[in-house]
Amino acid sequence: MSSRRGFRSWESWCAIGHRSCGYWSGRPDDRPGMPRYAQLVMGPAGSGKSTYCSTMQQHCEVLNRSVQVVNLDPAAEYFDYPVLADIRELIQVDDVMEDDSLRFGPNGGLIFCMEYFANNFDWLADCLGHVEDDYILFDCPGQIELYTHLPVMKQLVEQLQQWEFRVCGVFLVDSQFMVESFKFVSGVMAALSAMVSLEIPQVNIMTKMDLLNKRAKKEIEKYLDPDMYSLMQDSSDIWKSKKFKKLTKAICGLIDDYSMVRFLPFDRSDEECISIVLQHIDFSIQYGEDFEVKEPREQEEELDAPNMSDRFFQGATGD
């Protein structure tokens, strides 16, 4: 089996020493307790995670904010942002699939890679280094099992918290997928599953809003802060099975009664829309709480910021 990019076979994985990436060489646990910030960017394959990371990094550059990106997808083929660390330097899915002693397919290979990564957090520690007020985006794989019944991502969250990171989950769902109520319920349950499993603040986002026409934007507005019972009534004519309808009603009741999942729109071509998303995430991890105290006028402007999301749909109301 190929040993490129530092990967070795199962028999030797525990013997691999961590590799320095040229940053801070000490251990994170030896640092004083200084806050660091992280977004765990999650979502199904094709939901726009890498595009989100690239867009958010460029947006923060305009704001003179230093934001780094870490690629945690061992099957990634292309991304257009510079990385602080790339898991493919530690292990690749292709290497695992080519190992005759493992005989994994694509999904099994990816799970193996992430479990291997979880046993080599020292590598990540060396790559991250340490700078005061670090703000890092972790571009994660899209396999949903990583966020439901496997412990890998939970272990990553706990490790980051030990390194003084304040972590926010960012769960992305393709807005073009959420055009029908039963598909929307499926997306909500995936987001809810990640939220319950990871036990961290989570912001849910509908991506690719820039690809929707005005009519579609107006139609999808009802899914951002949904009335689940109304959505259920709208789709009642397509349900042929009474058992399916009863199950869906129970799920909708869980979502609606506890108001556990809401979505923000994300249009990569709209700077104001990107700012609103970033403000919600920053608030959830208390980013900037140690900065200079703002004047009351500035605080009032920030309180009005969430209402700006309504402007996103003004262009669609005339259609």
Side-chain angles (χ1 to χ4, degrees):
M1 174 180 169
S2 170
S3 60
R4 68 177 184 273
R5 296 186 181 271
F7 176 72
R8 300 295 186 274
S9 62
W10 170 268
E11 291 79 9
S12 61
W13 74 321
C14 292
I16 292 184
H18 53 266
R19 298 169 52 183
S20 173
C21 294
Y23 296 91
W24 183 74
S25 59
R27 307 272 17 103
D29 307 89
D30 297 332
R31 294 190 307 264
M34 302 173 66
R36 307 170 75 187
Y37 308 92
Q39 295 184 27
L40 211 62
V41 184
M42 309 169 288
S47 59
K49 296 183 292 296
S50 295
T51 300
Y52 168 88
C53 291
S54 176
T55 303
M56 193 60 70
Q57 186 183 52
Q58 294 174 17
H59 177 76
C60 289
E61 285 181 359
V62 175
L63 301 177
N64 291 321
R65 285 177 54 174
S66 176
V67 172
Q68 304 288 343
V69 183
V70 172
N71 173 48
L72 291 184
D73 187 355
E77 296 182 355
Y78 171 78
F79 40 80
D80 61 353
Y81 54 77
V83 294
L84 176 64
D86 187 348
I87 193 175
R88 296 178 302 174
E89 297 178 358
L90 176 70
I91 188 171
Q92 280 192 347
V93 169
D94 290 341
D95 290 333
V96 175
M97 293 174 60
E98 292 170 4
D99 192 324
D100 294 334
S101 66
L102 297 175
R103 298 181 180 276
F104 284 128
N107 288 332
L110 188 138
I111 298 301
F112 176 87
C113 289
M114 297 307 295
E115 291 177 341
Y116 181 88
F117 165 67
N119 284 273
N120 288 272
F121 282 146
D122 283 349
W123 169 85
L124 180 63
D126 289 335
C127 291
L128 292 183
H130 180 264
V131 177
E132 185 177 354
D133 295 324
D134 271 350
Y135 201 116
I136 299 176
L137 312 181
F138 291 90
D139 189 356
C140 301
Q143 274 65 14
I144 189 64
E145 55 265 35
L146 293 172
Y147 314 101
T148 55
H149 56 278
L150 294 177
V152 175
M153 301 309 294
K154 177 65 174 177
Q155 292 171 358
L156 173 62
V157 169
E158 292 174 348
Q159 184 64 75
L160 290 175
Q161 290 172 340
Q162 290 180 20
W163 294 342
E164 305 296 337
F165 274 97
R166 298 174 182 174
V167 186
C168 175
V170 181
F171 196 91
L172 310 185
V173 178
D174 189 342
S175 60
Q176 299 176 96
F177 173 78
M178 310 286 267
V179 293
E180 296 176 309
S181 58
F182 62 91
K183 292 182 179 179
F184 172 76
V185 171
S186 176
V188 168
M189 293 304 295
L192 184 58
S193 177
M195 186 186 305
V196 171
S197 175
L198 299 181
E199 298 180 307
I200 56 176
Q202 182 166 305
V203 176
N204 304 301
I205 298 174
M206 281 195 187
T207 59
K208 305 183 183 181
M209 298 295 289
D210 51 302
L211 301 181
L212 301 179
N213 56 37
K214 292 183 178 180
R215 183 181 299 275
K217 286 182 180 180
K218 181 174 176 59
E219 179 67 20
I220 209 169
E221 182 177 0
K222 64 183 179 182
Y223 293 111
L224 298 178
D225 189 6
D227 180 350
M228 298 305 299
Y229 292 108
S230 297
L231 293 178
M232 183 177 174
Q233 292 298 324
D234 294 342
S235 303
S236 59
D237 56 334
I238 66 173
W239 292 333
K240 299 180 181 179
S241 170
K242 291 183 178 180
K243 291 183 178 180
F244 178 72
K245 182 177 181 179
K246 186 177 180 180
L247 174 61
T248 304
K249 183 178 180 179
I251 295 174
C252 290
L254 172 67
I255 298 170
D256 195 70
D257 291 346
Y258 293 92
S259 300
M260 299 180 77
V261 178
R262 289 187 173 91
F263 289 89
L264 295 173
F266 187 79
D267 182 343
R268 62 176 303 190
S269 64
D270 187 339
E271 291 295 326
E272 185 178 58
C273 181
I274 300 172
S275 294
I276 293 171
V277 170
L278 185 59
Q279 287 172 14
H280 278 78
I281 296 171
D282 287 348
F283 180 79
S284 70
I285 55 179
Q286 299 176 308
Y287 174 77
E289 68 171 6
D290 298 325
F291 294 173
E292 183 179 351
V293 178
K294 297 181 179 180
E295 296 295 329
R297 178 181 179 84
E298 294 174 335
Q299 294 177 348
E300 291 175 2
E301 291 175 352
E302 287 197 353
L303 290 175
D304 294 337
N307 297 328
M308 291 191 298
S309 60
D310 296 337
R311 301 178 189 175
F312 182 82
F313 298 100
Q314 287 180 355
T317 55
D319 190 46

